[in-house]
Amino acid sequence: MAGNADSLDVDALVDRAGGTVARGIFVDQAVFEAEQERIFTRAWLFVGHESLIPKPDDFFVSRMGTESVVLTRDRGGQVHVLLNSCTHRGMKVCRYDQGNTRVFTCPYHGWSFATDGKLAATPGALVGVPHFDRAYHGELKRDDWGLVRAPRVALYKGTVWASWDPDAVELTDYLGDMRLYLDFALDGRDGSPGGSVVVEGVQKWRVNANWKFAPENFIGDMYHDISHRSVDLVGIGPSGGRGRRDNLRPRTTICFPGLGHGLIGEPPHTSEPPYVPAWKKYPEVEEYFRQVHERRVALLGERPRVTMSVGTIFPNMSFHGRQPRTIAVAHPISPTEMEMWRFCLIDADAPAAVNDAARHYFLRYSGPAGMTESDDLENWSYATEASRGPIARRQRYNYQMGMGHARPVPGLRGAVENGEVTEENARAYYSRWSDFMRGDPWTPPAAEYVPMPEPARETEDAG
Amino acid sequence: MLAELDEGLAGLLLARSVEQFLYAEAAMLDERRYRDWLAILDDGIRYFAPLARNMRRDRLGEEYTRQGQDLAWFDEGKETLTQRVEQIETGIHWAEEPVSRVCHMVTNVEILSAVPEARHAETVEVRCRFLVYRNRLQDEEMLLIGKRLDTLVRDGTGWKLRRREIRLDQNVLQAKNLTVFL
């Protein structure tokens, strides 16, 4: 296994100059195992949201790559990420999806682990060992056998991230200026920082597709719009009429080649465009968002702000910043299977009717029953299947669209844009994938910065 | 004695009529007569399929997510169900084009309540078990098994479906998408 992975020729798998990618990276077992070792043990991974564990001793079981982890909040309010595997014989210490406890007791031999700082010096410490005196003669070094804990955990506006790499750069540096676009999803609709929560319940489902199809799609693939013609013909947007979304603002495809993140959205700008009604079928919701817009105009003033529709943070966290506003995670299961998770994001302080309309829009748009997403899943699963054969595998996927036409984005560090329809973002994603697969060291955040143009001002005495 | 017999017969006739309704509905879906299916849905229908979570025994009340506020697989009314049919009818809804082979099995049909009474029932609550099998393209299979709780209301001489709660017996859905009606 490791031997195969060590012999991978990463530069042959991803040809950055030629804009092609070997099909093997979507179907090959050795590549998959190398991804687990080289990407999922190092990169910052989205593991959940603080609103899933609001109270002390709350826990939520999540995944990091193929591994089960438990997200806990201790009595001091600190959030921890623990490997869900007993240090004695490997049994899962937690087999619930969520709940509240101060001690995880392994069902196998009864070792118990505490999350509470009062019971244990370190979160996940081993605090109970049956027959400790009689059979271990008191000689077991309990301090050495606590649950494995992610050495790096970071909270960002409610989202929880973890990395197994003690040397990983800070999350904010990992995100770079992609953070602005994540802010758009996580901030209140009025532009106030944070304040979003996830709706109770996480959709989880298995898809017979390589996990990378999802982040590649969400990073900025407007080219696949044609997949969704059927839902566009029907029209499921919250204003009625054709289309699956509402009036669009001009948008482009922006990516961060050094970081592997990307999105479809707008470059930073310093004034709020006029309000466009987007919820005409729901007058109460429409009125609410009109007021939110007024607050946003007042709150943001001339500060730079962005908008975005979909984006991906390398390697497997994607999000939709405007409605339906969600987080999607593509967990790897095998080379040809992933488990998708979807969370629905809402403003904690929005009226129930507003959040209900948003939730319903999410349910008809996204997830396995989503009228948009269901067609993506068909594409990803049969693209995976049809890439498995020996003849198919000799071919490469083509990512050449728009090569050489990227340009820097004023106001963003290390970002380029390449128009609405391009494969620039996918190239950035696989370039970053190559960096990790080669085991490249962490690099300092991008410094190149193109200043934004001065905002056009209307002088008071004009005319 | 005769009154008891009458009551028993009324219960049997009601059960028979409800079963026939559910079987006919299954046939409509399996035969892809989606417009016929929409016609037996009450305009105010709620079609709800909660998520199932692994919760500790003392919190089993939270096992299923709640209608109208939590995430679910489905939580919608007739407008969206109609749009789903329209999407299939476009012929370019790739998740169901080429069309799948689907078989709905309905079993363990129990009438939980009849209002005002079996003989003149206007509203019945029906519980059943279901098995939905899908074969797609060549070898793709999906098998969904679970419980359904339906509310039927009398409409002239027949029934209409006013509420359906679908409890899929799966935590992580073992299917790539849910493009069949349950």
Side-chain angles (χ1 to χ4, degrees):
Chain A
M1 288 187 317
N4 286 343
D6 284 342
S7 66
L8 290 177
D9 182 352
V10 174
D11 291 323
L13 294 174
V14 174
D15 177 0
R16 301 187 215 208
T20 65
V21 171
R23 291 185 177 213
I25 80 163
F26 298 91
V27 294
D28 192 273
Q29 182 69 26
V31 172
F32 180 81
E33 283 165 14
E35 284 176 334
Q36 298 316 303
E37 185 61 45
R38 301 175 191 184
I39 298 174
F40 286 90
T41 64
R42 290 188 69 206
W44 279 100
L45 303 174
F46 172 86
V47 289
H49 196 279
E50 282 196 84
S51 59
L52 296 161
I53 46 167
K55 297 190 299 290
D57 298 335
D58 278 352
F59 68 86
F60 173 79
V61 173
S62 185
R63 303 180 66 100
M64 292 175 71
T66 52
E67 289 171 302
S68 176
V69 295
V70 191
L71 206 58
T72 67
R73 185 185 291 278
D74 70 22
R75 294 195 172 183
Q78 291 293 306
V79 173
H80 308 286
V81 177
L82 306 167
L83 187 67
N84 186 12
S85 181
C86 182
T87 49
H88 176 238
R89 213 50 102 241
M91 173 65 184
K92 282 190 174 181
V93 295
C94 183
R95 292 167 299 138
Y96 301 107
D97 293 342
Q98 60 194 79
N100 182 280
T101 190
R102 50 196 304 214
V103 174
F104 293 98
T105 300
C106 177
Y108 199 176
H109 298 92
W111 282 26
S112 54
F113 305 87
T115 56
D116 172 12
K118 288 193 187 105
L119 269 178
T122 52
L126 176 61
V127 294
V129 177
H131 307 310
F132 178 72
D133 293 326
R134 191 151 54 86
Y136 280 104
H137 306 286
E139 292 164 0
L140 176 72
K141 291 181 178 160
R142 282 181 294 197
D143 289 352
D144 294 346
W145 294 93
L147 291 176
V148 176
R149 184 159 60 111
R152 303 292 297 278
V153 175
L155 307 179
Y156 187 74
K157 292 188 174 178
T159 54
V160 184
W161 303 74
S163 166
W164 295 112
D165 185 355
D167 301 322
V169 297
E170 294 296 320
L171 176 67
T172 45
D173 289 335
Y174 184 84
L175 297 173
D177 279 352
M178 182 69 185
R179 191 166 56 82
L180 294 175
Y181 293 91
L182 184 60
D183 285 343
F184 179 69
L186 300 178
D187 285 348
R189 297 294 86 179
D190 63 0
S192 55
S196 55
V197 295
V198 296
V199 174
E200 176 76 27
V202 184
Q203 289 184 335
K204 305 174 183 176
W205 75 106
R206 290 289 175 103
V207 186
N208 287 322
N210 184 272
W211 65 274
K212 292 184 291 298
F213 274 103
E216 181 199 306
N217 182 280
F218 295 121
I219 201 171
D221 177 5
M222 274 301 291
Y223 196 38
H224 90 290
D225 203 39
I226 194 167
S227 298
H228 300 304
R229 259 192 68 217
S230 67
V231 67
D232 286 340
L233 287 170
V234 171
I236 58 166
S239 283
R242 292 291 173 93
R244 60 188 193 276
R245 291 184 184 274
D246 270 301
N247 298 357
L248 298 171
R249 313 238 313 114
R251 57 187 173 176
T252 186
T253 303
I254 296 170
C255 63
F256 299 83
L259 300 172
H261 318 315
L263 64 122
I264 298 174
E266 287 180 285
H269 45 279
T270 52
S271 67
E272 193 63 19
Y275 180 73
V276 179
W279 294 86
K280 289 183 214 155
K281 281 172 70 177
Y282 310 85
E284 185 184 347
V285 178
E286 183 57 44
E287 179 53 30
Y288 172 78
F289 280 113
R290 191 179 293 278
Q291 290 168 14
V292 163
H293 173 81
E294 299 303 321
R295 292 210 303 270
R296 184 177 172 86
V297 169
L299 192 68
L300 294 182
E302 292 180 349
R303 276 153 52 192
R305 83 284 316 261
V306 299
T307 65
M308 57 85 67
S309 52
V310 294
T312 287
I313 291 169
F314 185 90
N316 67 336
M317 184 275 200
S318 301
F319 59 101
H320 298 223
R322 55 177 182 159
Q323 307 288 357
R325 192 174 159 204
T326 85
I327 292 172
V329 189
H331 297 292
I333 300 292
S334 80
T336 54
E337 187 175 20
M338 68 170 150
E339 184 170 309
M340 284 196 66
W341 286 21
R342 268 204 187 264
F343 304 80
C344 179
L345 279 171
I346 53 171
D347 278 0
D349 61 0
V354 169
N355 285 337
D356 191 53
R359 183 185 65 99
H360 190 259
Y361 187 24
F362 167 101
L363 291 176
R364 67 183 186 268
Y365 192 105
S366 295
M371 294 168 68
T372 307
E373 190 140 88
S374 58
D375 286 329
D376 290 318
L377 300 164
E378 178 84 355
N379 289 334
W380 303 341
S381 59
Y382 283 104
T384 299
E385 183 186 307
S387 297
R388 292 172 78 163
I391 299 299
R393 281 210 222 180
R394 289 178 203 165
Q395 322 305 315
R396 300 174 70 85
Y397 289 169
N398 182 307
Y399 292 93
Q400 294 172 333
M401 186 188 290
M403 279 183 76
H405 295 275
R407 32 197 192 271
V409 184
L412 294 176
R413 287 168 300 168
V416 296
E417 63 132 330
N418 201 346
E420 194 176 18
V421 181
T422 179
E423 285 163 347
E424 196 69 40
N425 288 15
R427 289 193 292 273
Y429 181 87
Y430 291 109
S431 172
R432 182 65 158 161
W433 183 91
S434 309
D435 295 343
F436 270 96
M437 292 294 277
R438 272 198 314 267
D440 286 358
W442 292 102
T443 47
E448 322 90 82
Y449 185 80
V450 182
M452 286 178 68
E454 282 296 306
R457 288 170 190 278
E458 288 182 30
T459 51
E460 289 182 359
D461 55 353
Chain B
M1 186 66 190
L2 223 67
E4 265 176 45
L5 192 63
D6 265 7
E7 203 179 315
L9 276 175
L12 276 174
L13 287 171
L14 178 64
R16 174 76 175 161
S17 136
V18 165
E19 284 165 9
Q20 288 302 306
F21 173 82
L22 296 177
Y23 299 157
E25 184 206 3
M28 289 172 196
L29 292 173
D30 293 349
E31 292 162 13
R32 306 169 187 134
R33 292 185 282 117
Y34 303 115
R35 291 285 165 179
D36 291 349
W37 182 69
L38 289 174
I40 60 162
L41 306 183
D42 185 76
D43 287 343
I45 188 178
R46 198 68 191 174
Y47 183 85
F48 171 54
L51 309 177
R53 282 94 59 88
N54 296 303
M55 301 298 291
R56 209 167 69 181
R57 196 163 292 276
D58 59 357
R59 285 177 67 170
L60 282 179
E62 298 164 57
E63 182 178 10
Y64 291 96
T65 54
R66 297 161 295 182
Q67 183 182 326
Q69 64 189 110
D70 298 340
L71 280 199
W73 302 120
F74 297 97
D75 188 0
E76 62 195 42
K78 193 162 183 176
E79 182 186 17
T80 305
L81 290 168
T82 304
Q83 288 178 321
R84 293 181 187 279
V85 169
E86 289 169 357
Q87 187 181 22
I88 291 169
E89 289 173 346
T90 62
I92 53 171
H93 177 23
W94 308 119
E96 289 297 332
E97 184 68 37
V99 294
S100 301
R101 283 157 291 281
V102 178
C103 188
H104 289 72
M105 316 268 280
V106 176
T107 182
N108 302 41
V109 179
E110 295 171 86
I111 294 188
L112 301 183
S113 70
V115 176
E117 70 211 355
R119 189 193 301 267
H120 304 291
E122 293 295 322
T123 305
V124 290
E125 242 194 329
V126 190
R127 181 167 63 195
C128 69
R129 302 289 190 268
F130 68 85
L131 181 155
V132 176
Y133 174 82
R134 174 175 73 174
N135 169 235
R136 174 144 193 74
L137 304 190
Q138 291 80 32
D139 56 2
E140 182 181 341
E141 289 187 312
M142 174 182 84
L143 185 59
L144 300 176
I145 299 175
K147 293 100 182 173
R148 257 182 9 203
L149 187 64
D150 292 339
T151 303
L152 307 184
V153 291
R154 189 173 291 286
D155 176 65
T157 55
W159 296 105
K160 282 204 167 170
L161 184 60
R162 178 163 287 173
R163 180 173 186 275
R164 169 161 290 171
E165 179 168 335
I166 302 147
R167 291 193 168 184
L168 283 168
D169 284 327
Q170 285 185 354
N171 172 257
V172 175
L173 181 73
Q174 303 295 309
K176 73 172 194 276
N177 57 22
L178 281 172
T179 45
V180 298
F181 298 105
L182 301 171

